Amino acid sequence: MALPVAFKDELVARSDIVDVVSDYVTLTPKGGSFWGLCPFHGEKTPSFHVLPDRQLYHCFGCGKGGGVISFVMDVENLPYIDAVRLLAKRAGMEVPEDGMDQGRQRQRSRLLALNKEAARFFHSQLHSPVGQGGLQYLQNRGLSRGTMTRFGLGFAPDSWDSLIRAMAQKGFEKRDLLDAGLAVSNKKGGIYDRFRGRVMFPIIDLRGDVIGFGGRVLGDGTPKYLNSPDTPVFNKSRNLFALNLAKNTKQGRLLLTEGYMDTISLHQAGFDCAVASLGTSLTADHAKLLSRFTKEVILCYDGDTAGVQAANRAIPMLEKTGLKVRVLRITGAKDPDEFIKTFGREAFARLLDRSENYVAYNLKQLQASFSLEDPLQRSEFARAGAELLAELDSPVEREVYAGQLAQQTGVGKDAILQEIKRCRSQRLWKAKKKQARRTLTPVNQVQPKDRRMRYDNPRSARAEEGILRLLMLDGSLAKAADGLTPEQFSSPVLGKIYGVLLSHLSQGRPLQLGALEGELEEREITLLAEILGRPAALENGAAAMADYRAVIETEQMKRENDTDEAVLLAARDNYRKKKSI
């Protein structure tokens, strides 16, 4: 998305990356940079660092890296232009909308306006004669009128075009309804309402905009729940139902449920920290989003097989973001909504307080696979449980759960701890062996973490990376590379980055990652951050540039010429390598 060059450069200059990152991560100065726990993956030892002189961040654990704009994009889960707007607001700057993709921005604004009007229409229908069936359903589920209003619940009439006609009166065209996912086209070119005869649940994002809808059918129709498709303003894998309300909770945790009604019922009962995924299994983006607003998540899934499977999938994803995960075991009811109606709010609050952490939950799940009446299976369960506990970093936690496992299996606690120690040693040995293989393979050492950008010529690519690193540190060194073109690079991605750097230098623009964001793809920014995160010395910068250039040109000649000259060049290189050993 095009932004005026002067605006973008000033925004980056005003947005010091240490200040911005400090809003999200506790940073500690160390050795000229700042270190903290990575906000993008769970860790207990800081591997995330910020380099103020280069205005970049890089995590040695997960590989994430970039400049100030890409950091905001990742941590806030925002598209590029929204991250720019957030930074501009922080810096007290106005985004020059004239320099943006006006068509895309107009479409986004129009779709949000359409969704807002559609939500109003559905809500009005709920309290009209045509919506009596929907209203009765919600009342039977125990929802008050205040709750229905708070969540903007509505009803889609069982008609092929009631919404289309209502929105036409508001000035919206058929193309708008199709783009918003509110209408569907048929083979004859006509369109009809997507949601018909359904109770409607507006999906509202963190900024308060209606971005999509979920609809529950009345009766036995299928599908039971129908959700908006992905649109320019809605992605179900990156949004959570009711997070716009739950983000303000004072309860210190978030409850993750399986559906709209569970979440709404919990809010009505006073648990204003409930959210739900949107017609899809929990994703890594959902987990990252949750970690921005809480340190603890309680899974409040149904107790049936599907709920157990969903919990088993969700736990590792949530753990990776550093969240404390607990699992609610519901007995005497099929879901939280039914439990509260049957036993009351206070009973559910006590149930939450007794919820198991994920370790105890996993042990019980594992136990279900073994018969504890059989001595052989008991010992197998003890071994499997010890392997599970070996994954825990905390010695205290290993000690506590080893005692629990010993009680379950009848195997001595000391034996369990010894088995845990053996499993951890074996895991450590495997990790060291894997690392040793990587270390002993020079080709692997120079390859980017992203396999899509794998280098075909590692020797040339290492020199190409050196050119980029030196240019970013000191743009005046470009003189030593005068005449070297992006086409001479063996790696297309490194050649592309080099071309962008040359363009910035020719315009007198700064060479900072923040200034390059928007011109390079996210994975290219991450790669450049990884390159810049390596040590570099500028004392002999010009000589280093000349050496890098010689390698690039030599390797280019080898690629392009299958001749005697190429063979001689290769022989010369081998001779030089032997002399340097």
Side-chain angles (χ1 to χ4, degrees), residues 256-258 277 282 299-303 307-308 310-311 314 328 330 334 336:
L256 185 59
T257 79
E258 283 193 78
S277 50
L282 194 77
L299 295 176
C300 300
Y301 289 169
D302 295 352
V308 170
L328 186 70
I330 299 175
K334 65 180 178 65

Side-chain angles (χ1 to χ4, degrees), residues 282-302:
L282 194 77
T283 67
D285 284 329
H286 287 147
K288 187 168 71 174
L289 189 57
L290 286 166
S291 69
R292 284 173 45 199
F293 298 98
T294 188
K295 296 297 182 185
E296 178 178 277
V297 169
I298 299 181
L299 295 176
C300 300
Y301 289 169
D302 295 352

Side-chain angles (χ1 to χ4, degrees), residues 99-138:
M100 294 163 42
D101 183 341
Q102 288 294 300
R104 182 177 173 184
Q105 183 58 27
R106 278 196 300 269
Q107 183 196 37
R108 178 178 175 80
S109 298
R110 190 163 179 80
L111 294 186
L112 291 175
L114 170 57
N115 282 338
K116 185 176 181 179
E117 290 297 335
R120 287 174 172 168
F121 170 76
F122 292 138
H123 187 65
S124 69
Q125 295 300 296
L126 181 66
H127 300 287
S128 72
V130 75
Q132 284 306 297
L135 182 61
Q136 189 66 51
Y137 167 79
L138 294 174

Side-chain angles (χ1 to χ4, degrees), residues 179-193:
D179 290 344
L182 290 167
V184 180
S185 60
N186 59 30
K187 294 180 180 179
K188 295 181 180 179
I191 71 169
Y192 56 90
D193 288 351

Side-chain angles (χ1 to χ4, degrees), residues 457 459-468 481 484-491 494 498 544-560 572-573:
N457 186 328
R459 182 166 185 262
S460 183
R462 178 57 68 90
E464 292 156 19
E465 287 184 349
I467 293 275
L468 300 183
L484 184 68
T485 67
E487 290 72 28
Q488 291 176 271
F489 279 42
S490 66
S491 165
L494 297 178
Y498 178 61
M545 286 286 282
D547 289 342
Y548 289 143
R549 177 174 182 166
V551 171
I552 293 169
E553 290 175 341
T554 299
E555 293 301 314
Q556 179 200 14
M557 191 172 294
K558 290 179 186 177
R559 291 194 307 273
E560 294 178 352
R572 185 194 69 182
D573 288 343

Side-chain angles (χ1 to χ4, degrees), residues 38 41 43 47-49 57-65 449:
C38 181
H41 80 287
E43 62 178 10
S47 61
F48 177 90
H49 76 144
Y57 71 94
H58 178 67
C59 177
F60 291 101
C62 67
K64 279 278 190 182
K449 289 187 176 182

